[in-house]
Amino acid sequence: GDSVTQMEGPVTLSEEAFLTINCTYTATGYPSLFWYVQYPGEGLQLLLKATKADDKGSNKGFEATYRKETTSFHLEKGSVQVSDSAVYFCALSDGSGAGSYQLTFGKGTKLSVIP
Amino acid sequence: DAGITQSPRYKITETGRQVTLMCHQTWSHSYMFWYRQDLGHGLRLIYYSAAADITDKGEVPDGYVVSRSKTENFPLTLESATRSQTSVYFCASSEKPYYEQYFGPGTRLTVT
């Protein structure tokens, strides 16, 4: 079945550091890929998405490129801020026609940014 | 633009009681979902609905019941709450199948 693997956290960075959170996936079809962010006590918010190979999703300084050859969708940001402290989830939606239309999530990576 | 709301935000109930978690969305999205979030398990799908009066089981449906008489509402009922159902519950909606989902703020449920 489909699966998403994220790098284990927690990740602690100093403000203005470069961020990479690795995400790889396994899917039977041609999935769409997403990054969600969850701030403490809140629901998941869509951060960015990519629907086909070589697409780059971007939002709020975050970027991720859909790499079919390496089945990856790594999240990057050039300069993190304290306000970026949150849990980040990589997810996929496999449009192969089978299943429940659900998103398959990674376990989440907690990011803490210190001043 | 209210989006997707859940109520209550926090609930404490006793083992064996029935409890209903509410979910309401204002986008007229066809697809709606219930997930639970637990440490060590991530997010797991409980039930989903493709339209009013169409619902189906997800990964962990046991002990839960859903209904969807109106497009905008998707309540989740725990028929007889157990301690293992202590969790954070998220409702989500999507315009089309396999598109991005939009999540509510969650309900933190504690079963004592």
Side-chain angles (χ1 to χ4, degrees):
Chain A
D2 298 342
S3 67
V4 174
T5 303
Q6 287 181 237
M7 63 187 289
E8 296 284 328
V11 174
T12 302
L13 295 174
S14 297
E15 208 165 20
E16 299 184 2
F18 185 85
L19 169 70
T20 300
I21 300 178
N22 290 336
C23 171
T24 57
Y25 67 89
T26 303
T28 51
Y30 298 93
S32 295
L33 301 173
F34 308 91
W35 277 101
Y36 282 83
V37 59
Q38 185 178 29
Y39 299 101
E42 298 185 12
L44 280 73
Q45 299 176 24
L46 179 67
L47 183 58
L48 52 83
K49 68 177 183 180
T51 57
K52 60 183 188 296
D54 300 325
D55 267 2
K56 177 186 280 188
S58 62
N59 186 25
K60 299 181 181 178
F62 291 89
E63 293 183 340
T65 301
Y66 188 163
R67 301 283 188 203
K68 189 164 181 263
E69 63 275 13
T70 54
T71 62
S72 65
F73 193 53
H74 305 321
L75 182 68
E76 296 181 336
K77 187 176 185 184
S79 176
V80 294
Q81 305 301 312
V82 172
S83 57
D84 295 326
S85 297
V87 181
Y88 293 82
F89 292 91
C90 185
L92 70 82
S93 176
D94 186 349
S96 63
S100 59
Y101 318 116
Q102 72 178 79
L103 295 179
T104 299
F105 286 90
K107 292 281 170 67
T109 303
K110 184 175 182 180
L111 170 67
S112 297
V113 180
I114 53 177
Chain B
D1 185 0
I4 183 164
T5 57
Q6 293 182 236
S7 62
R9 293 293 314 277
Y10 303 91
K11 177 73 177 178
I12 300 174
T13 192
E14 295 176 343
T15 300
R17 290 197 180 262
Q18 183 181 82
V19 61
T20 296
L21 310 184
M22 304 301 293
C23 177
H24 176 79
Q25 52 105 353
T26 59
W27 296 306
S28 299
H29 284 172
S30 294
Y31 296 82
M32 296 188 75
F33 308 82
W34 275 106
Y35 293 88
R36 59 178 291 175
Q37 185 178 35
D38 304 287
L39 263 168
H41 290 282
L43 283 104
R44 293 179 291 176
L45 183 68
I46 305 170
Y47 269 94
Y48 68 99
S49 170
D53 297 322
I54 300 175
T55 63
D56 208 345
K57 296 177 181 179
E59 185 184 350
V60 289
D62 292 344
Y64 303 95
V65 173
V66 294
S67 62
R68 195 164 175 211
S69 57
K70 293 184 177 181
T71 299
E72 60 267 29
N73 297 325
F74 191 38
L76 175 75
T77 297
L78 287 67
E79 293 186 298
S80 178
T82 66
R83 289 202 181 93
S84 64
Q85 293 178 309
T86 292
S87 185
V88 181
Y89 291 85
F90 289 102
C91 179
S93 72
S94 177
E95 181 184 1
K96 295 182 181 180
Y98 309 112
Y99 273 38
E100 61 271 21
Q101 295 177 15
Y102 294 92
F103 285 76
T107 295
R108 182 175 293 275
L109 176 68
T110 301
V111 183
T112 62

